[in-house]
Amino acid sequence: SILKEESELDMEAAHCYIKPQYTSDSKKITDLRDTLNKYVSSKITYNFGNSSETLTGNTINKWLSVNCSFEIVVDHNKVNDYIDMLSRKYNTAGKTRRFNTSGSGAINIGGGDYGWIINKNKESENIISAIKEGKAVTKEPEYSQTALCHSENDIGNTYVEIDLSQQHMWFYKNGSLIVQGSVVTGNVSNGTGTPRGIFALKYKLRNAVLKGPGYEAPVNYWMPFNGGIGIHDASWRGVFGGNIYISSGSHGCVNTSYPVAQAIFNNIDVNTPVVCY
């Protein structure tokens, strides 16, 4: 231009620019745009009984980024933060509940392992999979542990109730009393008192032999609910109830008569709550 004594230079017409590898019309860019739009069109509605939570594109778009290779990256930490929020709100294991006892009125009781627990790793995978498919779904989250219902008190109306101070036990099924009877619980004098809390029945077994330091005890009905602590018949005891547990109680288990243990065993299912207070 100088040699031609030109006063203007059109840089684009003179091909002075390095052309970009991608423009807004490039297929790779339009495909990326369409995929991002697909991801944020996802909608996941979680049902928790009478409550629900909905995950939409307004939240999902904050989890997405594009790396230098034009690949979409989902921020797993933000997905996990969302699941943590759901867990804090809807997990019930160990939380305090209001419980109407059979003989002592309403009480607040917490502790134990019974209740809902969201499986964080599984649900994280489920969310990311649903986002990538651009789905609108209504579902429950993946649980590592479930309860019997989603009501305010997830104990429901089928449970074993054990009053440690009264040394008495009740078993209700679908709201009806199946059986009740006196028990002998853990020996409080030597530190093996039966723990308080709400626990889930782990399994049930006929004709088990319970073993511990210095003892072997065959029982007809074995129903563990807290580690090695469970409900069972105790043929070696002629009397149940009263203050026996204070100095001559069990190693933590709930001893009861053969008929009571049999009635519970024949009617109870795994995961049924066992309420000890």
Side-chain angles (χ1 to χ4, degrees):
S1 294
I2 292 172
L3 292 174
K4 295 176 183 178
E5 298 181 10
E6 294 174 347
S7 59
E8 291 184 1
L9 172 59
D10 187 333
M11 299 286 284
E12 189 170 359
H15 305 293
C16 294
Y17 292 113
I18 298 173
K19 290 186 177 180
Q21 184 178 0
Y22 302 105
T23 69
S24 60
D25 295 324
S26 299
K27 187 176 187 305
K28 191 162 190 174
I29 301 304
T30 57
D31 287 348
L32 179 64
R33 175 203 63 202
D34 292 343
T35 302
L36 284 167
N37 285 333
K38 175 185 174 183
Y39 284 13
V40 298
S41 71
S42 304
K43 181 180 178 182
I44 304 173
T45 301
Y46 287 106
N47 285 333
F48 301 93
N50 294 326
S51 300
S52 64
E53 298 281 341
T54 302
L55 173 63
T56 66
N58 290 334
T59 299
I60 295 169
N61 67 7
K62 299 179 180 66
W63 300 351
L64 306 177
S65 61
V66 179
N67 63 21
C68 57
S69 299
F70 292 95
E71 297 168 330
I72 299 173
V73 179
V74 181
D75 190 326
H76 287 238
N77 290 329
K78 290 181 179 178
V79 175
N80 288 335
D81 287 345
Y82 180 78
I83 298 172
D84 285 341
M85 179 277 293
L86 293 180
S87 298
R88 287 191 299 271
K89 196 169 181 180
Y90 295 103
N91 281 2
T92 61
K95 288 186 176 180
T96 299
R97 302 162 175 86
R98 193 73 173 160
F99 178 73
N100 290 316
T101 68
S102 295
S104 305
I107 62 170
N108 292 321
I109 179 169
D113 61 7
Y114 175 79
W116 299 95
I117 300 177
I118 295 173
N119 188 320
K120 184 173 178 177
N121 292 333
K122 285 282 189 183
E123 196 50 40
S124 175
E125 294 173 5
N126 292 343
I127 285 179
I128 292 171
S129 176
I131 289 172
K132 289 182 176 180
E133 293 177 16
K135 284 185 173 181
V137 296
T138 299
K139 65 191 289 291
E140 285 199 27
E142 192 91 22
Y143 289 104
S144 57
Q145 181 176 295
T146 61
L148 294 186
C149 61
H150 272 299
S151 60
E152 183 178 347
N153 184 338
D154 59 1
I155 295 170
N157 59 8
T158 296
Y159 55 86
V160 176
E161 176 186 348
I162 302 165
D163 186 330
L164 300 174
S165 61
Q166 298 298 318
Q167 290 290 284
H168 202 82
M169 176 169 62
W170 299 260
F171 173 53
Y172 294 91
K173 188 169 187 176
N174 298 322
S176 297
L177 179 63
I178 301 299
V179 69
Q180 64 172 310
S182 297
V183 297
V184 176
T185 59
N187 188 330
V188 297
S189 297
N190 64 11
T192 60
T194 303
R196 292 165 171 77
I198 306 169
F199 305 90
L201 183 72
K202 302 304 182 288
Y203 63 90
K204 58 181 186 176
L205 181 66
R206 284 282 277 123
N207 302 320
V209 178
L210 309 182
K211 298 179 181 180
Y215 74 90
E216 276 192 14
V219 300
N220 294 284
Y221 302 102
W222 171 231
M223 293 162 278
F225 59 84
N226 179 15
I229 295 174
I231 301 165
H232 61 79
D233 57 297
S235 59
W236 55 91
R237 294 189 186 276
V239 180
F240 298 89
N243 295 320
I244 299 170
Y245 76 105
I246 294 175
S247 59
S248 188
S250 70
H251 295 87
C253 285
V254 179
N255 297 177
T256 192
S257 66
Y258 183 98
V260 172
Q262 182 184 51
I264 295 175
F265 188 95
N266 289 340
N267 288 279
I268 200 168
D269 296 318
V270 171
N271 206 36
T272 296
V274 179
V275 185
C276 297
Y277 62 90

